Amino acid sequence: MKSILCQIRIHSKTPAKAIVISQALGNLWGCQSGQSIKVQLGNKTVITRVIIAPLTGNKIFLSPAVARQLLFPYTGTIRALFTDKTLKFGPVIGILTTGFRHHPEQPFGSRTQLFRSFIQAGFDEKPFIYVFTPEMVNWQNQTVRGWYFIHNRWHPLLSPFPDVIYERIPNRRAESMAQVQSCLNRFKKNTACKIFNQGFFNKWSIHQMLNHHPATSTFMPETYMPPTLEIMERMLKEHRMVYLKPSGGSLGLGIFRITYHPGKGYYCRFHKGNKNVLHLFRSLKALISHYFGSIHSPRFKKYLVQQGIRLIRNNHRPVDFRVHMHKDSKGHWKVVAIGSKAAGFGCVTTHVRTGGSIIRTDELLLKTFHQHASDVKKIIIRAAITIAETLEEQIDGTLGELGLDIGVDRNGRVWLFEVNAKPGRHIFLHPSLREAGRRSAKYITDYCLNLTNFI
């Protein structure tokens, strides 16, 4: 049975161990006055007696005692699901993060607006959504003091454990903290709570999964880890350009682009601080020794080498695509937005933080591929969905959101460079993608409804 929106009120005249529901709900759910049912919010459950009342519409009255036991954070229009003599309210969605700032207007610092956008986008579906950190969990009482955005203000309210957690730990360093790992492990082992998008991806592991699968192998550039001098020299002679990438890196940090010019040597370009750096070396061994000390150094062994692709260009700047994807309310992958990222002049990557810029995808494809522009866009979308579905088959855990960095070469062939489990949202700052940004935020709630069987 589907969940429906109901008007929930706390009424002091409701018997302490009873719940009052309107005649319409009684008929819909097949409830009889006097029967006992379970009432559930998150991990909190009470057994109550049903009272059918001659009320119009979908109305439910709770006693103050029942509301306290369930830890109802607020009342009003709430989604309800009745099945197997259990009435569930919610779902309760917890957004797990770190970096609480003890500030009532910006409780999570610069990321506060991001969480606000998720909550506001899902408002019409009427779930309970709060943001929390591991420190806000009381394991003894099995409660969370979560932060809700209600009536344009943030409020910390005592709440039940969530039905589903959307994991938004900001970076790998925070992810590795003991309290974060302990919190996630306890939720997985000791509760029925579902968690999606947990953890960050390792570039090499993802490459191996997709490179060895027949559905996705054609999208994968030639890649090796750890690189050897012989492999790099062969790849440079064949492709003339390779990238050295840290296997656990993100945001384009620590990436080197190496280009081979016969008779001149090896050009190495990278981003450092606020500037792009270009060095020339007579030998590849000298280049590696300069930056890593030795090809046998522990740091170098954490790098992978990847074939450089001659990407399509805009105003002589290479362009790749950020494909932002979500699971919808039916659990199907959807491409929500395709952001075209043009590299800054002299930049190694197209990341905005290193000088890249967002341009209109449709205009770029039309300018580059002319009458074939719509066909190329369809190829990108089909490739992205195939990659997402294939990856999901290969990994442990549940996915609901992905950011793919995809390139298209001058022949129209699609290449996958990276898969992001915690995709940034900078592409949605572009005017042409702002509406897609709102849809993207709404998909978080839609998928949570699917995971918790409220849809």
Side-chain angles (χ1 to χ4, degrees), residues 173 182-183 210 299 343 366 374 382 399 427:
R173 181 187 59 78
S182 173
C183 178
L210 298 176
R299 178 168 167 251
L366 187 62
S374 62
R382 283 200 300 269
L399 295 175
I427 64 170

Side-chain angles (χ1 to χ4, degrees), residues 100-127:
F100 179 61
R101 295 289 186 266
H102 298 276
H103 191 289
E105 294 180 3
Q106 297 285 324
F108 301 96
S110 61
R111 305 178 79 233
T112 301
Q113 179 55 39
L114 171 67
F115 301 136
R116 175 179 171 176
S117 71
F118 292 144
I119 293 171
Q120 289 180 316
F123 179 80
D124 288 344
E125 300 295 345
K126 305 301 182 183

Side-chain angles (χ1 to χ4, degrees), residues 41-45 67-73 92 94 96 130-148 156-162 165 183 186-187 191:
L41 180 68
N43 65 315
K44 299 300 182 183
T45 302
R68 280 195 301 271
Q69 284 179 276
L70 293 174
L71 293 182
F72 251 85
V92 181
L96 176 63
Y130 60 73
V131 186
F132 73 108
T133 67
E135 295 79 10
M136 297 175 187
V137 182
N138 185 322
W139 292 102
Q140 183 174 351
N141 297 331
Q142 295 200 329
T143 61
V144 179
R145 184 161 289 278
W147 283 75
Y148 296 79
L157 300 172
L158 193 64
S159 307
F161 281 178
I165 291 175
C183 178
R186 292 180 81 168
F187 269 116
T191 76

